[in-house]
Amino acid sequence: IVAAETINPDDDKYDAVISKIKPSNPKTVYYGGEYPQAGPFSQQMKAAGLNVPLMGGDGICSGELPKLAAGAMGDGQVVCAEAGGVEGAQKVGMAKFRADFKKKSNADVQIYAPYVYDATMVIADAMQKAGSADPAKYLPVLAKTSGYKGVTGTISFDEKGDVKNGALTLFTYKGEKREQIAVVR
C-alpha cells in the first residue's frame, strides 16, 4: 500500500484524490465503494494519466460501470470480486436455478439470491432433522451441516461455523461486458 485516500460519495470530481495518489506511482488503485462513483473515478483517473487497473469488491461489479466510466475502461482495466462462485458441474445447477427463477418471477436472479436460497434450505434441512423450528434445537444440528448439496455447491461448516471451501469470483470487463476471470478458494 503506497497511499490511502477517501472520497466523498456525494462528490463527482475526484481530481484532488487522484492528484494525491498519482505521485505514489501505484500499480493498482483499490476502491472500496460503489459503481456510481467507481465509473467516474475510473474515467477521471485515465484523464489524469493514472493508467493503472481499478480494483474493488462487489459494489463496483455492475453492468452500469462501463457506462458510468464513459469509455475510459480498457479491456481488463477493472477487476472486481464477488463472494461465492460456482465451477464445473455446479454451473449446470446454477443455470437451471436462474432459468427456473426467471420463469417463476419474470425477473433475473440478483447477485446473492442463490446463496440466500441455499442458506434458507440449509436452515430448513436442519429444522427438519431436529424436528423443530426452535433455535435451541435446530442450531446444533445446523452447525453439524456437512455435505449439503445446494445450488451453489456442497455446503459444510467448520468448527467455527464458517463455510468450508468458500469461494470468491473475480471479474473484469472486456468490450464493456463483465467477464469471469476465475473462482478462487
Side-chain angles (χ1 to χ4, degrees):
I1 299 174
V2 295
E5 297 294 330
T6 304
I7 67 166
N8 179 345
D10 295 327
D11 289 345
D12 60 356
K13 301 284 185 230
Y14 307 114
D15 53 327
V17 170
I18 293 167
S19 66
K20 289 179 185 177
I21 295 170
K22 190 177 175 185
S24 62
N25 209 18
K27 292 185 168 96
T28 302
V29 171
Y30 178 83
Y31 176 64
E34 303 288 326
Y35 69 88
Q37 294 79 31
F41 186 59
S42 174
Q43 180 186 33
Q44 292 172 36
M45 282 174 44
K46 184 175 181 178
L50 185 56
N51 295 311
V52 298
L54 179 67
M55 183 177 204
D58 59 0
I60 72 168
C61 246
S62 163
E64 296 298 308
L65 182 64
K67 295 175 199 158
L68 293 167
M73 285 175 33
D75 288 355
Q77 190 69 18
V78 172
V79 175
C80 55
E82 290 179 356
V86 295
E87 304 172 277
Q90 293 174 329
K91 288 185 176 186
V92 173
M94 183 65 81
K96 182 178 180 338
F97 177 83
R98 290 181 187 283
D100 291 349
F101 186 92
K102 177 83 171 187
K103 184 177 179 182
K104 185 172 184 172
S105 66
N106 198 30
D108 290 328
V109 169
Q110 297 300 307
I111 183 171
Y112 293 117
Y115 302 95
V116 172
Y117 175 82
D118 276 353
T120 302
M121 298 308 289
V122 166
I123 292 169
D125 183 62
M127 288 177 177
Q128 285 181 326
K129 287 177 179 173
S132 176
D134 178 354
K137 293 182 180 176
Y138 77 79
L139 286 176
V141 175
L142 178 65
K144 294 177 186 172
T145 296
S146 181
Y148 181 89
K149 302 292 184 201
V151 171
T152 61
T154 302
I155 301 167
S156 300
F157 299 115
D158 66 17
E159 64 282 349
K160 295 178 186 175
D162 293 327
V163 173
K164 287 183 179 178
N165 202 26
L168 188 68
T169 304
L170 301 177
F171 293 94
T172 191
Y173 292 81
K174 291 190 178 173
E176 298 194 356
K177 299 240 186 280
R178 193 172 83 151
E179 184 176 290
Q180 183 175 319
I181 299 171
V183 174
V184 239
R185 297 194 184 274

